[in-house]
Amino acid sequence: MNKIIEASDRTPKICIDTTNSKISFTGVMIPENPIEHFAELNKELADLCKNMSDLTLEFDLEYFNTGSAKYLYEMIKKLAALINLSIVWIYEDDDEDIYETGKEYEKLTGLPFEFVAK
Amino acid sequence: LSTDNNKILFHFEGQEIKSYSNFISEIDSALLVLKKSKRKSIIICTIELIQNALKYRCCGNVSLTISKGENIEVNVYNNSDLQQSEKLKRHFDRIEKTGIAKLKEMSRQNLDSPAITGQSGAGNGLIKCILKSEKRMQLLINNINGSKNQINFKINFEYE
């Protein structure tokens, strides 16, 4: 099953590709309350994980607010408890903020992160 | 106003951001003299401050001015009730007195603490702004009548 959730003014495009066991987030992520905003997505991702053994999350985010940073961290931790998770973290090569946040997640979660400069 | 001798690069006043994509691209265009990483730092701080201002305002408009003088100065204003502004001041005073290494540790701890529904960034928004501005951030509070205060966050960013 493949599903695309189109980007909005405050939220990223989300591509759920079960064929390749990959979910990608592209764009900006600045909703005022991401925990409430993405509640449905959380349920959907948890259900997806029941039928998969491995999953790659790919993040290519230009801006995200601190609420979204918290949400993403929680989401990564929850999915990592359900499935064999790996992360691809795409950043612009002069974007220290996005890169450092990815490094922080890598350190805190202990998960394999692949950093890709663009 | 500290912007009296400065050139205003961007101004917003209102009660909601109708289009964040326009908001971001207009600020980015206004700051083209800066390198991209600096522009991104200013934009992400601006988003944090304006979202907080819109969330916690009690009445009236929120305003944002980005001006250019010796530094790039960002000013965000909103009105707040006394209880909210006192809470904000306590939070700001606590983190403003904290060193950079400790702030990074606090940010990490906030990230790793359980999420609370209704709270978005677990208090990391102001920490991020203080870190991004290398502690050149001020909170100014002026009483505008008995029951409300004007909140002004001011951040200075060096050109390089």
Side-chain angles (χ1 to χ4, degrees):
Chain A
M1 184 195 82
N2 293 316
K3 180 178 176 181
I4 294 175
I5 301 169
E6 291 297 342
S8 76
D9 193 47
R10 299 165 199 212
T11 55
K13 180 178 180 181
I14 302 169
C15 297
I16 301 170
D17 176 359
T18 52
T19 310
N20 295 300
S21 301
K22 187 168 108 175
I23 301 171
S24 59
F25 297 76
T26 309
V28 300
M29 194 166 184
I30 51 172
E32 283 82 353
N33 195 333
I35 292 170
E36 286 176 11
H37 189 94
F38 292 112
E40 280 301 310
L41 177 68
N42 281 353
K43 287 180 198 159
E44 196 167 347
L45 295 183
D47 286 343
L48 271 175
C49 288
K50 289 175 186 165
N51 304 314
M52 300 162 94
S53 57
D54 299 283
L55 178 65
T56 299
L57 294 180
E58 183 181 277
F59 297 103
D60 183 0
L61 295 172
E62 192 180 2
Y63 290 102
F64 53 91
N65 57 11
T66 51
S68 295
K70 175 84 176 165
Y71 165 75
L72 287 177
Y73 179 68
E74 292 285 326
M75 182 189 73
I76 290 169
K77 275 202 312 183
K78 280 178 190 163
L79 292 178
L82 300 170
I83 201 164
N84 188 17
L85 192 66
S86 58
I87 312 287
V88 177
W89 193 264
I90 301 169
Y91 64 100
E92 289 190 60
D93 59 4
D94 60 348
D95 192 338
E96 292 167 14
D97 188 56
I98 298 282
Y99 176 75
E100 283 171 9
T101 304
K103 280 288 176 189
E104 199 71 39
Y105 286 170
E106 182 184 40
K107 188 176 168 185
L108 286 169
T109 62
L111 291 168
F113 271 59
E114 179 188 352
F115 288 88
V116 179
K118 64 174 183 180
Chain B
L1 283 175
S2 58
T3 52
D4 284 353
N5 297 318
N6 293 353
K7 181 185 173 192
I8 292 175
L9 301 174
F10 178 85
H11 181 74
F12 162 83
E13 190 162 343
Q15 296 179 12
E16 64 172 326
I17 306 285
K18 291 197 171 93
S19 163
Y20 271 96
S21 53
N22 289 345
F23 181 78
I24 290 169
S25 68
E26 284 172 22
I27 296 175
D28 193 55
S29 299
L31 297 174
L32 272 180
V33 64
L34 304 176
K35 62 180 183 178
K36 190 167 183 182
S37 58
K38 180 68 76 175
R39 299 203 303 273
K40 287 197 76 168
S41 290
I42 294 172
I43 289 169
I44 200 65
C45 289
T46 301
I47 291 169
E48 294 289 345
L49 291 179
I50 205 89
Q51 288 189 331
N52 269 341
L54 290 166
K55 183 176 180 180
Y56 293 113
R57 75 176 187 90
C58 67
C59 53
N61 285 343
V62 164
S63 81
L64 158 71
T65 303
I66 302 176
S67 55
K68 176 185 170 184
E70 283 185 22
N71 297 302
I72 298 290
E73 186 172 291
V74 176
N75 278 284
V76 176
Y77 294 88
N78 69 284
N79 295 333
S80 172
D81 64 48
L82 300 182
Q83 190 181 9
Q84 185 61 44
S85 58
E86 281 162 16
K87 189 177 163 190
L88 184 65
K89 186 173 185 326
R90 281 197 301 274
H91 177 53
F92 182 79
D93 286 348
R94 188 167 62 94
I95 60 176
E96 201 262 339
K97 287 174 191 156
T98 306
I100 285 177
K102 180 68 181 165
L103 283 175
K104 287 183 178 174
E105 180 56 29
M106 280 170 66
S107 171
R108 212 171 287 131
Q109 285 172 358
N110 286 340
L111 195 64
D112 206 22
S113 64
I116 302 167
T117 305
Q119 286 197 350
S120 48
N124 271 349
L126 291 183
I127 293 176
K128 180 151 210 155
C129 293
I130 287 184
L131 288 172
K132 284 278 159 202
S133 65
E134 296 170 321
K135 302 201 75 177
R136 289 136 62 98
M137 180 171 176
Q138 293 172 272
L139 168 60
L140 306 169
I141 298 178
N142 292 308
N143 188 252
I144 47 176
N145 68 26
S147 64
K148 61 187 175 189
N149 285 334
Q150 183 192 55
I151 306 291
N152 169 210
F153 276 110
K154 183 192 297 288
I155 313 184
N156 274 285
F157 292 91
E158 290 184 322
Y159 286 96
E160 288 300 325

